[in-house]
Amino acid sequence: MLLIASANGDVGMDAAWEILAAGGSALDAVEAATRLVEDNPADHTVGYGGYPNLLGEVELDASIMDGDTRRAGAVAALRGYRAAITVARKVMEELPHVLLAGEGAARFAAELGLQRENLLTPEAEAVYRDGLAGRLPKMFRDSRGSVVDAMLRRAAAITADPERAAGTVNVIAQDAAGRIASAVSTSGWAWKYPGRVGDSPIIGAGNYADSRYGAAACTGWGELALRGATARTVVLLLSRGVALEDACRVAFSDLFDLETNSARVIMSMVALDANGGFCALSTAPDREYVYRRAGMRAYERAPRLVVTG
Ligand code: GLY
């Protein structure tokens, strides 16, 4: 058994491990862990309390993949429902589709009986308003400080904040039966253009799992992982016999080919292989991850390998 997550997944590690230790499925474990991160108002990059788009609306992206069947479910730009990962799982299980977006995703969440709520907490709203005030000239904003429609396009370029763009949660598990599942959930790029969708709900970009070989999941600048098909690249290389760390490094190296200004390449990844190997990498020097494997009494936190080009 093995559980690995981005550092902000720590709040879900014990719940997920309990499921695995009781003989539960990797799919149940990654969903349970991710739900706890989505519920955490202190995490402004995922679920309830996430930072909003340019209009002050929280829009969530999430995906889940069952590596045994390679079935997947995802939601993009979901508003008004915090449990994006559960909606994604239900898309996989109850619909003949993989990805629902926007109003359709919210309609489906309502049909599932989930509680609609305002996901923008006062704390996140205050940071949003300060962020806009600090970055946008007055002519971009109305009397309440919101961005005026005609300025949205230009505002999206000005407010792009790599520090706030980069949060997401990744959780990958391998259960006692060897089944691998992966989950990714995010509120996406803070102050994004409304409707912007990142890599998290795109199977192959921010998330991929195949129980035969392994799984990978990304946090960071989603546009890059979308262009690089980053998570799928890792698992495809595993299927060709490449060692896990080498596979991850190849995928990262491709990102530096996509964006020659290496300072702009903001990417982190957690990954595991079907033989119990795991690794976590980041282009940032100070990023950690959490993991637990059979025989450990608790999860541990560790620094990621740093990749700079
Ligand atoms: N990696 C999360 C995002 O770009 O939305």
Side-chain angles (χ1 to χ4, degrees):
M1 286 185 310
L2 180 59
L3 186 61
I4 180 169
S6 50
N8 57 342
D10 57 358
V11 297
M13 289 294 281
D14 291 341
W17 193 261
E18 232 174 83
I19 291 169
L20 294 175
S25 71
L27 206 54
D28 286 346
V30 297
E31 182 191 359
T34 305
R35 276 291 286 267
L36 289 168
V37 185
E38 291 172 338
D39 283 345
N40 180 9
D43 190 325
H44 296 299
T45 67
V46 181
Y48 178 70
Y51 287 137
N53 66 18
L54 270 174
L55 295 176
E57 302 153 336
V58 181
E59 291 186 327
L60 304 182
D61 295 343
S63 66
I64 193 162
M65 188 158 187
D66 174 359
D68 246 35
T69 57
R70 285 192 287 158
R71 291 172 70 216
V75 289
L78 169 67
R79 290 192 204 157
Y81 296 88
R82 66 170 73 183
I85 199 68
T86 293
V87 185
R89 181 168 176 177
K90 292 290 187 186
V91 170
M92 175 176 81
E93 291 177 342
E94 296 192 7
L95 293 177
H97 307 308
V98 169
L99 172 62
L100 286 186
E103 284 178 19
R107 171 189 291 267
F108 184 58
E111 206 183 322
L112 294 171
L114 297 177
Q115 185 66 41
R116 188 175 176 88
E117 63 186 325
N118 177 12
L119 301 180
L120 185 64
T121 59
E123 191 190 337
E125 183 172 7
V127 177
Y128 159 72
R129 296 215 176 272
D130 279 359
L132 293 186
R135 282 170 177 264
L136 284 183
K138 274 212 170 86
M139 59 181 288
F140 279 66
R141 293 177 283 131
D142 64 18
S143 56
R144 292 192 59 243
S146 303
V147 186
V148 296
D149 283 355
M151 293 297 186
L152 274 176
R153 258 189 313 162
R154 287 167 64 193
I158 296 173
T159 53
D161 178 348
E163 277 312 303
R164 295 224 161 88
T168 295
V169 65
N170 299 154
V171 186
I172 305 177
Q174 184 184 42
D175 62 29
R179 297 170 295 192
I180 294 173
S182 53
V184 178
S185 185
T186 189
S187 48
W189 189 317
W191 332 153
K192 60 195 170 187
Y193 195 96
R196 177 267 185 187
V197 172
D199 59 322
S200 304
I202 305 302
I203 297 302
N207 187 4
Y208 201 81
D210 183 330
S211 297
R212 295 171 299 175
Y213 309 114
C218 304
T219 66
W221 184 13
E223 278 72 5
L224 271 190
L226 279 165
R227 291 164 61 204
T230 303
R232 174 65 176 146
T233 298
V234 170
V235 178
L236 187 65
L237 288 169
L238 290 176
S239 78
R240 297 295 179 264
V242 178
L244 180 64
E245 187 184 321
D246 293 342
C248 294
R249 286 185 184 278
V250 170
F252 267 61
S253 152
D254 190 45
L255 301 178
F256 286 96
D257 289 343
L258 289 172
E259 174 54 59
T260 47
N261 178 357
S262 59
R264 284 171 56 87
V265 180
I266 297 168
M267 188 60 62
S268 299
M269 172 185 277
V270 293
L272 56 73
D273 65 33
N275 302 317
F278 61 95
C279 79
L281 301 85
S282 181
T283 54
D286 54 355
R287 297 292 151 87
E288 295 184 321
Y289 70 106
V290 287
Y291 70 97
R292 184 166 178 181
R293 60 187 158 196
M296 290 171 63
R297 294 175 66 83
Y299 72 83
E300 284 183 12
R301 188 175 287 271
R304 295 175 186 247
L305 299 171
V306 180
V307 183
T308 51

